[in-house]
PDB file of all heavy atoms in Angstrom:
ATOM      1  N   LEU A   1       0.151  -5.774  -6.479  1.00 96.00           N
ATOM      2  CA  LEU A   1       0.500  -6.736  -5.426  1.00 96.00           C
ATOM      3  C   LEU A   1      -0.242  -8.065  -5.586  1.00 96.00           C
ATOM      4  O   LEU A   1      -0.012  -8.995  -4.813  1.00 96.00           O
ATOM      5  CB  LEU A   1       0.195  -6.131  -4.051  1.00 96.00           C
ATOM      6  CG  LEU A   1       0.949  -4.851  -3.704  1.00 96.00           C
ATOM      7  CD1 LEU A   1       0.482  -4.303  -2.371  1.00 96.00           C
ATOM      8  CD2 LEU A   1       2.459  -5.068  -3.721  1.00 96.00           C
ATOM      9  N   ASN A   2      -1.149  -8.132  -6.553  1.00 96.00           N
ATOM     10  CA  ASN A   2      -1.947  -9.328  -6.811  1.00 96.00           C
ATOM     11  C   ASN A   2      -2.651  -9.784  -5.524  1.00 96.00           C
ATOM     12  O   ASN A   2      -2.556 -10.938  -5.122  1.00 96.00           O
ATOM     13  CB  ASN A   2      -1.091 -10.451  -7.405  1.00 96.00           C
ATOM     14  CG  ASN A   2      -1.938 -11.550  -8.012  1.00 96.00           C
ATOM     15  OD1 ASN A   2      -3.045 -11.303  -8.462  1.00 96.00           O
ATOM     16  ND2 ASN A   2      -1.408 -12.758  -8.025  1.00 96.00           N
ATOM     17  N   ALA A   3      -3.341  -8.815  -4.893  1.00 96.00           N
ATOM     18  CA  ALA A   3      -4.012  -9.108  -3.625  1.00 96.00           C
ATOM     19  C   ALA A   3      -5.209  -8.188  -3.444  1.00 96.00           C
ATOM     20  O   ALA A   3      -5.280  -7.126  -4.049  1.00 96.00           O
ATOM     21  CB  ALA A   3      -3.029  -8.902  -2.477  1.00 96.00           C
ATOM     22  N   GLU A   4      -6.126  -8.607  -2.574  1.00 96.00           N
ATOM     23  CA  GLU A   4      -7.224  -7.741  -2.163  1.00 96.00           C
ATOM     24  C   GLU A   4      -6.630  -6.641  -1.281  1.00 96.00           C
ATOM     25  O   GLU A   4      -5.577  -6.826  -0.679  1.00 96.00           O
ATOM     26  CB  GLU A   4      -8.262  -8.539  -1.368  1.00 96.00           C
ATOM     27  CG  GLU A   4      -8.981  -9.607  -2.167  1.00 96.00           C
ATOM     28  CD  GLU A   4      -9.878  -9.024  -3.248  1.00 96.00           C
ATOM     29  OE1 GLU A   4     -10.579  -8.038  -2.962  1.00 96.00           O
ATOM     30  OE2 GLU A   4      -9.870  -9.555  -4.369  1.00 96.00           O
ATOM     31  N   TYR A   5      -7.344  -5.532  -1.161  1.00 96.00           N
ATOM     32  CA  TYR A   5      -6.823  -4.424  -0.352  1.00 96.00           C
ATOM     33  C   TYR A   5      -6.880  -4.751   1.129  1.00 96.00           C
ATOM     34  O   TYR A   5      -7.920  -5.102   1.681  1.00 96.00           O
ATOM     35  CB  TYR A   5      -7.591  -3.120  -0.612  1.00 96.00           C
ATOM     36  CG  TYR A   5      -6.974  -1.968   0.143  1.00 96.00           C
ATOM     37  CD1 TYR A   5      -5.830  -1.362  -0.336  1.00 96.00           C
ATOM     38  CD2 TYR A   5      -7.504  -1.536   1.348  1.00 96.00           C
ATOM     39  CE1 TYR A   5      -5.220  -0.322   0.354  1.00 96.00           C
ATOM     40  CE2 TYR A   5      -6.908  -0.497   2.047  1.00 96.00           C
ATOM     41  CZ  TYR A   5      -5.768   0.102   1.549  1.00 96.00           C
ATOM     42  OH  TYR A   5      -5.169   1.114   2.253  1.00 96.00           O
ATOM     43  N   ASN A   6      -5.733  -4.666   1.755  1.00 96.00           N
ATOM     44  CA  ASN A   6      -5.576  -4.765   3.198  1.00 96.00           C
ATOM     45  C   ASN A   6      -4.466  -3.776   3.546  1.00 96.00           C
ATOM     46  O   ASN A   6      -3.344  -3.907   3.058  1.00 96.00           O
ATOM     47  CB  ASN A   6      -5.172  -6.195   3.601  1.00 96.00           C
ATOM     48  CG  ASN A   6      -4.818  -6.296   5.062  1.00 96.00           C
ATOM     49  OD1 ASN A   6      -3.763  -5.831   5.491  1.00 96.00           O
ATOM     50  ND2 ASN A   6      -5.696  -6.922   5.828  1.00 96.00           N
ATOM     51  N   GLU A   7      -4.818  -2.779   4.348  1.00 96.00           N
ATOM     52  CA  GLU A   7      -3.890  -1.672   4.604  1.00 96.00           C
ATOM     53  C   GLU A   7      -2.532  -2.147   5.121  1.00 96.00           C
ATOM     54  O   GLU A   7      -1.492  -1.721   4.616  1.00 96.00           O
ATOM     55  CB  GLU A   7      -4.517  -0.689   5.590  1.00 96.00           C
ATOM     56  CG  GLU A   7      -3.691   0.569   5.765  1.00 96.00           C
ATOM     57  CD  GLU A   7      -4.432   1.594   6.597  1.00 96.00           C
ATOM     58  OE1 GLU A   7      -5.361   2.231   6.043  1.00 96.00           O
ATOM     59  OE2 GLU A   7      -4.084   1.750   7.780  1.00 96.00           O
ATOM     60  N   ASP A   8      -2.515  -3.019   6.109  1.00 97.00           N
ATOM     61  CA  ASP A   8      -1.239  -3.490   6.666  1.00 97.00           C
ATOM     62  C   ASP A   8      -0.409  -4.215   5.607  1.00 97.00           C
ATOM     63  O   ASP A   8       0.809  -4.012   5.509  1.00 97.00           O
ATOM     64  CB  ASP A   8      -1.464  -4.410   7.866  1.00 97.00           C
ATOM     65  CG  ASP A   8      -2.013  -3.673   9.075  1.00 97.00           C
ATOM     66  OD1 ASP A   8      -1.771  -2.448   9.195  1.00 97.00           O
ATOM     67  OD2 ASP A   8      -2.710  -4.305   9.902  1.00 97.00           O
ATOM     68  N   TYR A   9      -1.070  -5.068   4.824  1.00 97.00           N
ATOM     69  CA  TYR A   9      -0.369  -5.799   3.773  1.00 97.00           C
ATOM     70  C   TYR A   9       0.213  -4.839   2.739  1.00 97.00           C
ATOM     71  O   TYR A   9       1.375  -4.953   2.346  1.00 97.00           O
ATOM     72  CB  TYR A   9      -1.307  -6.807   3.111  1.00 97.00           C
ATOM     73  CG  TYR A   9      -0.634  -7.608   2.022  1.00 97.00           C
ATOM     74  CD1 TYR A   9       0.223  -8.648   2.353  1.00 97.00           C
ATOM     75  CD2 TYR A   9      -0.846  -7.311   0.679  1.00 97.00           C
ATOM     76  CE1 TYR A   9       0.859  -9.384   1.366  1.00 97.00           C
ATOM     77  CE2 TYR A   9      -0.229  -8.035  -0.314  1.00 97.00           C
ATOM     78  CZ  TYR A   9       0.627  -9.076   0.034  1.00 97.00           C
ATOM     79  OH  TYR A   9       1.261  -9.792  -0.955  1.00 97.00           O
ATOM     80  N   VAL A  10      -0.592  -3.875   2.304  1.00 97.00           N
ATOM     81  CA  VAL A  10      -0.141  -2.898   1.315  1.00 97.00           C
ATOM     82  C   VAL A  10       1.079  -2.130   1.845  1.00 97.00           C
ATOM     83  O   VAL A  10       2.084  -1.972   1.149  1.00 97.00           O
ATOM     84  CB  VAL A  10      -1.275  -1.927   0.923  1.00 97.00           C
ATOM     85  CG1 VAL A  10      -0.753  -0.727   0.156  1.00 97.00           C
ATOM     86  CG2 VAL A  10      -2.328  -2.664   0.104  1.00 97.00           C
ATOM     87  N   ILE A  11       1.009  -1.687   3.083  1.00 97.00           N
ATOM     88  CA  ILE A  11       2.124  -0.942   3.670  1.00 97.00           C
ATOM     89  C   ILE A  11       3.389  -1.799   3.699  1.00 97.00           C
ATOM     90  O   ILE A  11       4.463  -1.356   3.271  1.00 97.00           O
ATOM     91  CB  ILE A  11       1.769  -0.443   5.079  1.00 97.00           C
ATOM     92  CG1 ILE A  11       0.703   0.658   4.992  1.00 97.00           C
ATOM     93  CG2 ILE A  11       2.999   0.061   5.822  1.00 97.00           C
ATOM     94  CD1 ILE A  11       0.056   1.029   6.316  1.00 97.00           C
ATOM     95  N   ASN A  12       3.275  -3.019   4.198  1.00 96.00           N
ATOM     96  CA  ASN A  12       4.445  -3.901   4.285  1.00 96.00           C
ATOM     97  C   ASN A  12       5.046  -4.186   2.913  1.00 96.00           C
ATOM     98  O   ASN A  12       6.268  -4.146   2.746  1.00 96.00           O
ATOM     99  CB  ASN A  12       4.082  -5.212   4.999  1.00 96.00           C
ATOM    100  CG  ASN A  12       3.833  -4.998   6.475  1.00 96.00           C
ATOM    101  OD1 ASN A  12       4.404  -4.102   7.102  1.00 96.00           O
ATOM    102  ND2 ASN A  12       2.963  -5.817   7.049  1.00 96.00           N
ATOM    103  N   GLU A  13       4.199  -4.474   1.939  1.00 96.00           N
ATOM    104  CA  GLU A  13       4.696  -4.785   0.601  1.00 96.00           C
ATOM    105  C   GLU A  13       5.311  -3.556  -0.069  1.00 96.00           C
ATOM    106  O   GLU A  13       6.327  -3.659  -0.761  1.00 96.00           O
ATOM    107  CB  GLU A  13       3.587  -5.383  -0.263  1.00 96.00           C
ATOM    108  CG  GLU A  13       3.145  -6.765   0.187  1.00 96.00           C
ATOM    109  CD  GLU A  13       4.272  -7.785   0.224  1.00 96.00           C
ATOM    110  OE1 GLU A  13       4.948  -7.974  -0.810  1.00 96.00           O
ATOM    111  OE2 GLU A  13       4.482  -8.397   1.296  1.00 96.00           O
ATOM    112  N   CYS A  14       4.702  -2.393   0.129  1.00 96.00           N
ATOM    113  CA  CYS A  14       5.245  -1.164  -0.460  1.00 96.00           C
ATOM    114  C   CYS A  14       6.599  -0.815   0.151  1.00 96.00           C
ATOM    115  O   CYS A  14       7.504  -0.369  -0.545  1.00 96.00           O
ATOM    116  CB  CYS A  14       4.258  -0.014  -0.288  1.00 96.00           C
ATOM    117  SG  CYS A  14       2.823  -0.131  -1.376  1.00 96.00           S
ATOM    118  N   LYS A  15       6.747  -1.036   1.446  1.00 96.00           N
ATOM    119  CA  LYS A  15       8.032  -0.765   2.094  1.00 96.00           C
ATOM    120  C   LYS A  15       9.121  -1.666   1.497  1.00 96.00           C
ATOM    121  O   LYS A  15      10.259  -1.232   1.333  1.00 96.00           O
ATOM    122  CB  LYS A  15       7.932  -0.927   3.596  1.00 96.00           C
ATOM    123  CG  LYS A  15       7.202   0.239   4.264  1.00 96.00           C
ATOM    124  CD  LYS A  15       7.170   0.131   5.739  1.00 96.00           C
ATOM    125  CE  LYS A  15       8.164   0.874   6.515  1.00 96.00           C
ATOM    126  NZ  LYS A  15       8.584   2.176   6.328  1.00 96.00           N
ATOM    127  N   LYS A  16       8.771  -2.891   1.146  1.00 95.00           N
ATOM    128  CA  LYS A  16       9.739  -3.821   0.539  1.00 95.00           C
ATOM    129  C   LYS A  16      10.205  -3.320  -0.825  1.00 95.00           C
ATOM    130  O   LYS A  16      11.332  -3.586  -1.220  1.00 95.00           O
ATOM    131  CB  LYS A  16       9.118  -5.207   0.376  1.00 95.00           C
ATOM    132  CG  LYS A  16       8.922  -5.953   1.673  1.00 95.00           C
ATOM    133  CD  LYS A  16       8.254  -7.298   1.386  1.00 95.00           C
ATOM    134  CE  LYS A  16       7.805  -7.996   2.651  1.00 95.00           C
ATOM    135  NZ  LYS A  16       7.076  -9.248   2.345  1.00 95.00           N
ATOM    136  N   ILE A  17       9.340  -2.608  -1.545  1.00 95.00           N
ATOM    137  CA  ILE A  17       9.709  -2.090  -2.868  1.00 95.00           C
ATOM    138  C   ILE A  17      10.814  -1.059  -2.721  1.00 95.00           C
ATOM    139  O   ILE A  17      11.710  -0.971  -3.547  1.00 95.00           O
ATOM    140  CB  ILE A  17       8.470  -1.534  -3.600  1.00 95.00           C
ATOM    141  CG1 ILE A  17       7.516  -2.691  -3.926  1.00 95.00           C
ATOM    142  CG2 ILE A  17       8.868  -0.780  -4.871  1.00 95.00           C
ATOM    143  CD1 ILE A  17       6.170  -2.271  -4.453  1.00 95.00           C
ATOM    144  N   GLY A  18      10.767  -0.269  -1.646  1.00 93.00           N
ATOM    145  CA  GLY A  18      11.886   0.585  -1.284  1.00 93.00           C
ATOM    146  C   GLY A  18      12.078   1.862  -2.086  1.00 93.00           C
ATOM    147  O   GLY A  18      13.218   2.270  -2.308  1.00 93.00           O
ATOM    148  N   LEU A  19      11.019   2.494  -2.487  1.00 97.00           N
ATOM    149  CA  LEU A  19      11.149   3.778  -3.182  1.00 97.00           C
ATOM    150  C   LEU A  19      11.173   4.915  -2.165  1.00 97.00           C
ATOM    151  O   LEU A  19      10.818   4.729  -0.995  1.00 97.00           O
ATOM    152  CB  LEU A  19       9.985   3.969  -4.151  1.00 97.00           C
ATOM    153  CG  LEU A  19       9.796   2.872  -5.205  1.00 97.00           C
ATOM    154  CD1 LEU A  19       8.617   3.209  -6.101  1.00 97.00           C
ATOM    155  CD2 LEU A  19      11.048   2.666  -6.024  1.00 97.00           C
ATOM    156  N   ASP A  20      11.546   6.113  -2.598  1.00 97.00           N
ATOM    157  CA  ASP A  20      11.523   7.276  -1.701  1.00 97.00           C
ATOM    158  C   ASP A  20      10.129   7.472  -1.128  1.00 97.00           C
ATOM    159  O   ASP A  20       9.959   7.706   0.065  1.00 97.00           O
ATOM    160  CB  ASP A  20      11.932   8.557  -2.432  1.00 97.00           C
ATOM    161  CG  ASP A  20      13.380   8.559  -2.880  1.00 97.00           C
ATOM    162  OD1 ASP A  20      14.166   7.681  -2.441  1.00 97.00           O
ATOM    163  OD2 ASP A  20      13.731   9.440  -3.698  1.00 97.00           O
ATOM    164  N   LEU A  21       9.126   7.390  -2.012  1.00 97.00           N
ATOM    165  CA  LEU A  21       7.754   7.610  -1.582  1.00 97.00           C
ATOM    166  C   LEU A  21       6.797   6.886  -2.521  1.00 97.00           C
ATOM    167  O   LEU A  21       6.953   6.929  -3.744  1.00 97.00           O
ATOM    168  CB  LEU A  21       7.428   9.110  -1.578  1.00 97.00           C
ATOM    169  CG  LEU A  21       6.054   9.529  -1.095  1.00 97.00           C
ATOM    170  CD1 LEU A  21       5.838   9.157   0.374  1.00 97.00           C
ATOM    171  CD2 LEU A  21       5.865  11.029  -1.276  1.00 97.00           C
ATOM    172  N   MET A  22       5.813   6.232  -1.909  1.00 97.00           N
ATOM    173  CA  MET A  22       4.705   5.653  -2.664  1.00 97.00           C
ATOM    174  C   MET A  22       3.443   6.275  -2.096  1.00 97.00           C
ATOM    175  O   MET A  22       3.198   6.190  -0.895  1.00 97.00           O
ATOM    176  CB  MET A  22       4.683   4.135  -2.513  1.00 97.00           C
ATOM    177  CG  MET A  22       5.921   3.464  -3.079  1.00 97.00           C
ATOM    178  SD  MET A  22       5.953   1.678  -2.833  1.00 97.00           S
ATOM    179  CE  MET A  22       4.686   1.146  -3.966  1.00 97.00           C
ATOM    180  N   VAL A  23       2.675   6.897  -2.953  1.00 98.00           N
ATOM    181  CA  VAL A  23       1.423   7.502  -2.529  1.00 98.00           C
ATOM    182  C   VAL A  23       0.298   6.640  -3.093  1.00 98.00           C
ATOM    183  O   VAL A  23       0.137   6.547  -4.308  1.00 98.00           O
ATOM    184  CB  VAL A  23       1.286   8.956  -3.030  1.00 98.00           C
ATOM    185  CG1 VAL A  23      -0.032   9.555  -2.551  1.00 98.00           C
ATOM    186  CG2 VAL A  23       2.473   9.800  -2.570  1.00 98.00           C
ATOM    187  N   VAL A  24      -0.441   6.005  -2.202  1.00 97.00           N
ATOM    188  CA  VAL A  24      -1.563   5.173  -2.624  1.00 97.00           C
ATOM    189  C   VAL A  24      -2.824   5.982  -2.392  1.00 97.00           C
ATOM    190  O   VAL A  24      -3.246   6.212  -1.258  1.00 97.00           O
ATOM    191  CB  VAL A  24      -1.611   3.850  -1.845  1.00 97.00           C
ATOM    192  CG1 VAL A  24      -2.805   2.999  -2.314  1.00 97.00           C
ATOM    193  CG2 VAL A  24      -0.308   3.082  -1.997  1.00 97.00           C
ATOM    194  N   SER A  25      -3.415   6.481  -3.492  1.00 94.00           N
ATOM    195  CA  SER A  25      -4.624   7.283  -3.348  1.00 94.00           C
ATOM    196  C   SER A  25      -5.815   6.352  -3.115  1.00 94.00           C
ATOM    197  O   SER A  25      -5.975   5.348  -3.797  1.00 94.00           O
ATOM    198  CB  SER A  25      -4.832   8.198  -4.558  1.00 94.00           C
ATOM    199  OG  SER A  25      -4.844   7.464  -5.748  1.00 94.00           O
ATOM    200  N   LEU A  26      -6.608   6.715  -2.114  1.00 93.00           N
ATOM    201  CA  LEU A  26      -7.740   5.896  -1.690  1.00 93.00           C
ATOM    202  C   LEU A  26      -9.071   6.586  -1.944  1.00 93.00           C
ATOM    203  O   LEU A  26     -10.069   6.281  -1.304  1.00 93.00           O
ATOM    204  CB  LEU A  26      -7.597   5.558  -0.196  1.00 93.00           C
ATOM    205  CG  LEU A  26      -6.293   4.877   0.214  1.00 93.00           C
ATOM    206  CD1 LEU A  26      -6.193   4.794   1.736  1.00 93.00           C
ATOM    207  CD2 LEU A  26      -6.161   3.512  -0.428  1.00 93.00           C
ATOM    208  N   GLY A  27      -9.076   7.557  -2.852  1.00 86.00           N
ATOM    209  CA  GLY A  27     -10.305   8.264  -3.177  1.00 86.00           C
ATOM    210  C   GLY A  27     -10.850   9.020  -1.989  1.00 86.00           C
ATOM    211  O   GLY A  27     -10.111   9.732  -1.307  1.00 86.00           O
ATOM    212  N   GLU A  28     -12.116   8.819  -1.681  1.00 86.00           N
ATOM    213  CA  GLU A  28     -12.744   9.555  -0.583  1.00 86.00           C
ATOM    214  C   GLU A  28     -12.203   9.137   0.785  1.00 86.00           C
ATOM    215  O   GLU A  28     -12.498   9.780   1.789  1.00 86.00           O
ATOM    216  CB  GLU A  28     -14.258   9.404  -0.634  1.00 86.00           C
ATOM    217  CG  GLU A  28     -14.744   7.995  -0.446  1.00 86.00           C
ATOM    218  CD  GLU A  28     -16.245   7.845  -0.656  1.00 86.00           C
ATOM    219  OE1 GLU A  28     -16.838   8.656  -1.377  1.00 86.00           O
ATOM    220  OE2 GLU A  28     -16.815   6.907  -0.071  1.00 86.00           O
ATOM    221  N   ASP A  29     -11.393   8.079   0.816  1.00 90.00           N
ATOM    222  CA  ASP A  29     -10.787   7.648   2.079  1.00 90.00           C
ATOM    223  C   ASP A  29      -9.405   8.260   2.297  1.00 90.00           C
ATOM    224  O   ASP A  29      -8.735   7.918   3.265  1.00 90.00           O
ATOM    225  CB  ASP A  29     -10.690   6.113   2.127  1.00 90.00           C
ATOM    226  CG  ASP A  29     -12.066   5.468   2.206  1.00 90.00           C
ATOM    227  OD1 ASP A  29     -12.967   6.048   2.842  1.00 90.00           O
ATOM    228  OD2 ASP A  29     -12.238   4.386   1.621  1.00 90.00           O
ATOM    229  N   GLY A  30      -8.963   9.130   1.388  1.00 91.00           N
ATOM    230  CA  GLY A  30      -7.692   9.819   1.576  1.00 91.00           C
ATOM    231  C   GLY A  30      -6.543   9.158   0.834  1.00 91.00           C
ATOM    232  O   GLY A  30      -6.689   8.750  -0.313  1.00 91.00           O
ATOM    233  N   ALA A  31      -5.407   9.023   1.515  1.00 95.00           N
ATOM    234  CA  ALA A  31      -4.234   8.454   0.867  1.00 95.00           C
ATOM    235  C   ALA A  31      -3.251   7.933   1.908  1.00 95.00           C
ATOM    236  O   ALA A  31      -3.193   8.417   3.038  1.00 95.00           O
ATOM    237  CB  ALA A  31      -3.545   9.501  -0.004  1.00 95.00           C
TER     238      ALA A  31
END
């Protein structure tokens, strides 16, 4: 996404990509 991590931004941008499922693994913070 060429951006720093921001949960809301990541969610919005991933929804625009429009795949069945995108799993963003966050390590010890879950997914």
